[in-house]
């Protein structure tokens, strides 16, 4: 099968950049290297610094970026990319086939093994340079999601000479890409500043500067927006309760779009009472998730049965959540031998105001079936980089996941396959085989069938308490023009202006 696409993503007409936009982001990723992260807070910034071979914008359509066209060969086991010419990295280094090969050799090599992105690209066997502007990506097995994966995160193309000369640690803190904005400065925990790349291959940005401020406290972010010191507050920080505050300000507006982000309270399946599937099911049945969605999210989300949104490939609309059944929950707890007043700990992100409220309600529901839950808030980076991956959580822990490929594989493999960073507890040979079996399939119907089977299996094993799929909620100053909300928070601000 062959597939070829060509064309430009953006108009290449030059424009005079002027003006600065200030953006509130809830988290400092800590590194700007594409292979070091999975965080949407990284993507919100770095989509402006880096480019991939492909690009997927807010309209969810996959289009050419640093690759002008591509062709699938050898029954999907080789993809030939024709690269865009006359493109330079921000340091003046030329973009070419050698840079593409370097990027993927690095991602799949020793350096990439230190980060969370490598497993998304393990179908790549090698990258072969055909000429300066042609590369072949050879696959051990076909990967039906690869072209989408090439549009984000670990597949962002990086500059070989710059990294080799300055080293990995320098690159982490001083990123260089081919994107519409160039790195200026980074102050950990404070912010990162970018300036327009007037030579951008897609046309110069309309703004001269982007100033991203890391504001972890929701009330502070909203106050800065109201004061005019921030032009845009990006998800997922705006609490539902603050939406009327923003909507009531004549200078501000809420922009809300359905997205892939889902929240769950996952279980420690290794230790304590939650090692028992009966207890896990009892906890799920004890919590009225429908009421939580209606009362806490106020229409800005939907209940979920599995850890994916309705936009995800592999979503099964016929798979219903376990019912809210407190009496049934009590029966299961009795069968499991759990004593009245048994304690468990729920670990959450401290700056997630909505989840703080949800966790309190979950705790109340659990008390009604005889369980005593305590809530332990963590600084987000500590929870994500230390507590969860090291298997040091309480009985339950918050997991928020963007599923940015809009394909259940991206979520399920990371959450449930043995040895993955986000799966510190579960080792299930049957589940591993299911996850592995769907990855090389090019038959969409067969692959979707297996993904749905995975969803049903995980739900039956009760590996998490599925909560909700939330909208991406942006707080925007009306001075901002040309802003298009991205469902996955991957903001490309090339065409935005601030009056």
């Amino acid at each position: 099968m062959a597939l070829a696409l060509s064309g430009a993503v953006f108009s290449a007409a030059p424009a005079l950049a002027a003006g600065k936009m200030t953006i509130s982001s809830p988290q400092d990723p800590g590194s700007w290297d594409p292979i070091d992260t999975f965080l949407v807070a990284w993507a919100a910034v770095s989509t402006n610094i880096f480019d991939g071979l492909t690009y997927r914008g807010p309209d969810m359509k996959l289009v050419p970026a640093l690759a002008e066209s591509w062709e699938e060969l050898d029954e999907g086991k080789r993809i030939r990319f024709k690269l865009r010419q006359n493109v330079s990295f921000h340091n003046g280094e030329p973009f070419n086939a050698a840079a593409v090969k370097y990027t993927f050799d690095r991602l799949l090599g020793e350096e990439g093994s230190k980060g969370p992105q490598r497993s998304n690209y393990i179908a790549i066997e090698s990258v072969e340079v055909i000429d300066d502007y042609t590369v072949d990506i050879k696959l051990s097995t076909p990967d039906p999601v690869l072209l989408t994966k090439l549009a984000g995160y670990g597949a962002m193309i990086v500059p070989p000479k710059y990294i080799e000369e300055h080293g990995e640690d320098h690159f982490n803190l001083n990123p260089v890409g081919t994107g519409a904005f160039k790195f200026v400065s980074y102050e950990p925990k404070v912010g990162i500043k970018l300036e327009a790349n007037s030579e951008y291959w897609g046309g110069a940005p309309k703004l001269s500067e982007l100033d991203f401020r890391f504001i972890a406290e929701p009330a502070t972010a909203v106050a800065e927006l109201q004061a005019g010191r921030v032009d845009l507050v990006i998800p997922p920080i705006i609490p539902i309760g603050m939406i009327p505050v923003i909507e009531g300000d004549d200078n501000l507006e809420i922009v809300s779009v359905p997205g892939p982000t889902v929240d769950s309270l996952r279980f420690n399946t290794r230790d304590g009472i939650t090692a028992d599937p009966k207890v896990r099911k009892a906890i799920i049945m004890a919590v009225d998730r429908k009421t939580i969605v209606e009362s806490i999210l106020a229409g800005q989300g939907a209940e979920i049965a599995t850890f994916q949104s309705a936009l995800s490939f592999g979503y099964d609309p016929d798979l219903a959540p376990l019912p809210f059944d407190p009496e049934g929950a009590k029966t299961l707890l009795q069968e499991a031998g759990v004593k009245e007043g048994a304690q468990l700990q729920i670990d959450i992100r401290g700056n997630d105001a909505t989840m703080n409220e949800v966790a309190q309600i979950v705790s109340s529901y659990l008390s009604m079936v005889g369980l005593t839950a305590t809530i332990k808030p963590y600084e987000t980076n500590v929870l994500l980089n230390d507590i969860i991956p090291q298997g040091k959580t309480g009985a339950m822990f918050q997991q928020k996941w963007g599923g940015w490929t809009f394909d259940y594989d991206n979520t399920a493999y990371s959450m449930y396959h043995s040895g993955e960073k986000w799966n510190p507890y579960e080792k299930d040979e049957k589940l591993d085989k299911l996850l592995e079996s769907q990855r090389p399939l090019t038959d969409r119907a067969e692959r979707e069938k297996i993904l749905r089977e995975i969803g049903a299996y995980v739900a039956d094993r009760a590996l998490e308490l599925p909560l909700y799929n939330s909208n991406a909620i942006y707080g925007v100053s009306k001075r901002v023009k040309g802003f298009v909300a991205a469902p996955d928070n991957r903001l490309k601000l090339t065409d935005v202006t601030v009056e």
Side-chain angles (χ1 to χ4, degrees), residues 268-276 279-280 338 343 395:
N268 178 340
T269 59
R270 184 189 64 195
D271 309 314
I273 62 173
T274 50
D276 187 334
V279 175
R280 301 197 296 267
V338 176
Q343 296 189 348

Side-chain angles (χ1 to χ4, degrees), residues 460-474:
D460 184 62
R461 294 271 294 125
L463 299 184
E464 66 234 335
L465 164 56
L467 289 171
Y468 46 78
N469 163 220
S470 54
N471 286 2
I473 303 169
Y474 295 84

Side-chain angles (χ1 to χ4, degrees), residues 96-178:
N96 52 29
V100 175
K101 178 173 173 56
Y102 178 86
T103 295
F104 288 98
D105 286 351
R106 179 174 177 267
L107 169 63
L108 298 169
E110 182 180 351
E111 192 63 29
S113 68
K114 302 173 186 176
Q117 283 296 328
R118 184 181 183 180
S119 64
N120 282 324
Y121 303 91
I122 54 176
I124 298 176
E125 194 171 74
S126 64
V127 175
E128 181 181 344
V129 174
I130 305 303
D131 58 44
D132 281 350
Y133 295 100
T134 309
V135 295
D136 281 359
I137 292 184
K138 296 183 177 181
L139 308 177
S140 55
T141 56
D143 181 348
V145 196
L146 182 63
L147 289 171
T148 297
K149 293 175 185 175
L150 296 181
Y153 293 92
M156 297 291 93
I157 306 301
V158 299
K161 184 178 178 183
Y162 178 81
I163 295 175
E164 292 303 311
E165 286 184 354
H166 295 278
E168 300 289 348
D169 291 342
H170 182 84
F171 182 60
N172 289 347
L173 305 179
N174 301 269
V176 165
T178 60

Side-chain angles (χ1 to χ4, degrees), residues 217-375:
E217 173 56 46
T220 303
V222 173
E224 291 294 278
L225 181 67
Q226 289 179 300
R229 291 186 288 268
V230 160
D231 303 304
L232 174 70
V233 177
I234 61 176
I237 197 171
I238 295 177
I240 302 298
M242 283 189 172
I243 290 177
V245 175
I246 295 173
E247 289 180 328
D249 190 319
D250 290 340
N251 298 314
L252 308 175
E253 62 182 336
I254 287 288
V255 179
S256 175
V257 293
T261 301
V262 283
D263 278 82
S264 74
L265 291 173
R266 299 183 69 202
F267 292 111
N268 178 340
T269 59
R270 184 189 64 195
D271 309 314
I273 62 173
T274 50
D276 187 334
K278 282 189 177 180
V279 175
R280 301 197 296 267
K281 288 184 178 180
I283 289 172
I284 297 171
M285 292 163 63
V287 179
D288 187 350
R289 284 91 67 203
K290 182 178 180 181
T291 295
I292 287 175
V293 169
E294 291 174 350
S295 61
I296 305 302
L297 296 191
Q300 296 288 339
E303 187 181 359
I304 54 174
T306 54
F307 200 38
Q308 59 180 320
S309 77
L311 299 173
S312 166
F313 181 76
Y315 173 80
D316 185 354
D318 296 325
L319 183 63
L322 280 173
F324 172 52
D325 182 2
E327 292 306 314
K330 290 178 183 178
T331 299
L332 285 177
L333 290 172
Q334 290 171 356
E335 291 176 1
V338 176
K339 296 180 180 179
E340 181 84 14
Q343 296 189 348
L344 54 83
Q345 178 178 299
I346 303 174
D347 299 338
I348 64 172
R349 302 183 187 188
N351 74 330
D352 188 333
T354 300
M355 180 53 70
N356 270 268
E357 192 171 354
V358 168
Q360 295 290 345
I361 294 175
V362 168
S363 175
S364 296
Y365 279 123
L366 294 182
S367 70
M368 295 177 189
V369 297
L371 298 175
T372 302
T374 57
I375 299 166

